[in-house]
């Protein structure tokens, strides 16, 4: 059989170890993979007891059999997976981007895939969405493309609703929500808004 490589025993490169990255890593560990993780904010205690190592990006790109991008777009991550970084990958390696397109150089990736200098890629995000007709990636047989909806299972609305309700319950109960983009408003909320709501209820 020609087939595809197994995950078991392979090296999994994890770019970003936030809430999503940790869930991806947990699944990779189930396949008995060794993890290489790059994240400037990771606490080494978070991977204690795991078959994982914190490394710099070049070491991750050169040493991984599978690479998953799971970080946000910031000034530091924009263009981070450059032509140079992609060029460090093994010819047998695969890269997956379900994060954001600006993190990676797609022109360089398409060329490497076309020349078979890396084994393959799976992409859910693109510099222009939907991906334009005639794009070089559409002509390749070693890439899997999904239109920025690879995670859209039937249960997604249920999960989103539960997360929203859990956060609202925590907020009304005087606790910090798990997910909040503007934590600077919490002090005012707890000291003024929530107090007024409680008085109104009485």
């Amino acid at each position: 059989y020609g087939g595809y490589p197994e995950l078991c025993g392979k090296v999994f490169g994890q770019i970003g170890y936030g809430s999503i990255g940790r869930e991806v890593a947990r699944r990779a560990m189930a396949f008995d993979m060794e993890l290489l993780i790059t994240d400037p904010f990771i606490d080494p205690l978070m991977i204690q007891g795991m078959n994982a190592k914190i490394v710099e990006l070049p070491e991750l790109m050169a040493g991984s059999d599978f690479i998953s991008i799971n970080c946000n777009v910031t000034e530091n991550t924009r263009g981070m997976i450059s032509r140079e970084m992609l060029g460090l990958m093994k010819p047998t390696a695969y890269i997956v981007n379900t994060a954001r397109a600006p993190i990676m150089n797609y022109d360089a990736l398409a060329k490497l895939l076309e020349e078979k200098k890396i084994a393959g890629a799976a992409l859910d995000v693109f510099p222009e969405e939907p991906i334009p007709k005639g794009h070089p990636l559409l002509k390749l047989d070693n890439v899997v493309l999904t239109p920025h909806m690879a995670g859209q299972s039937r249960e997604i609305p249920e999960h989103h609703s539960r997360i929203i309700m859990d956060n609202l319950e925590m907020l009304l109960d005087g606790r910090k929500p798990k997910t909040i983009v503007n934590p600077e408003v919490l002090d005012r909320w707890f000291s003024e808004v929530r107090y007024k709501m409680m008085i109104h209820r009485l």
Side-chain angles (χ1 to χ4, degrees):
Y1 305 105
Y4 298 95
E6 292 184 353
L7 298 179
C8 182
K10 299 298 194 302
V11 179
F12 187 79
Q14 183 82 45
I15 301 173
Y17 202 67
S19 57
I20 294 175
R22 289 193 295 274
E23 289 298 320
V24 173
R26 186 164 65 90
R27 287 156 176 79
M29 294 294 289
F31 285 95
D32 197 26
M33 302 183 83
E34 176 189 348
L35 266 63
L36 298 181
I37 302 170
T38 185
D39 187 322
F41 305 106
I42 189 172
D43 182 345
L45 292 176
M46 296 173 72
I47 62 168
Q48 196 168 18
M50 296 170 56
N51 186 18
K53 183 169 66 168
I54 301 170
V55 298
E56 296 297 325
L57 182 60
E59 182 177 348
L60 181 148
M61 298 299 293
S64 300
D65 298 302
F66 298 89
I67 298 169
S68 179
I69 303 173
N70 299 108
C71 59
N72 294 325
V73 177
T74 67
E75 290 183 6
N76 293 326
T77 63
R78 188 178 294 274
M80 177 174 66
I81 311 302
S82 62
R83 185 182 305 273
E84 179 186 3
M85 288 296 112
L86 289 166
L88 296 175
M89 291 176 62
K90 301 176 183 179
T92 54
Y94 297 80
I95 190 164
V96 178
N97 188 7
T98 56
R100 290 292 182 267
I103 296 169
M104 183 162 60
N105 185 326
Y106 272 61
D107 291 336
L109 175 68
K111 187 171 179 57
L112 288 171
L113 288 166
E114 182 180 5
E115 296 175 353
K116 309 292 185 183
K117 291 185 176 178
I118 60 175
L123 308 169
D124 188 48
V125 288
F126 307 95
E128 182 182 344
E129 296 181 356
I131 187 169
K133 292 181 179 179
H135 194 284
L137 289 170
L138 294 172
K139 303 173 184 177
L140 302 177
D141 61 2
N142 55 349
V143 60
V144 174
L145 309 174
T146 50
H148 204 161
M149 56 181 298
Q152 295 299 314
S153 65
R154 289 180 297 180
E155 291 79 11
I156 284 293
E158 178 184 335
H159 295 324
H160 285 175
S161 299
R162 176 177 46 78
I163 291 169
I164 291 169
M165 293 308 298
D166 286 348
N167 279 299
L168 285 173
E169 183 179 5
M170 295 176 73
L171 191 63
L172 294 172
D173 196 35
R175 294 176 289 148
K176 180 181 177 182
K178 290 181 179 179
T179 53
I180 182 167
V181 296
N182 55 342
E184 65 276 5
V185 305
L186 287 178
D187 287 342
R188 180 175 175 271
W189 165 265
F190 290 130
S191 63
E192 298 179 26
V193 180
R194 183 170 173 270
Y195 176 75
K196 290 177 181 177
M197 290 178 65
M198 292 174 64
I199 295 296
H200 180 73
R201 288 177 182 176
L202 295 175

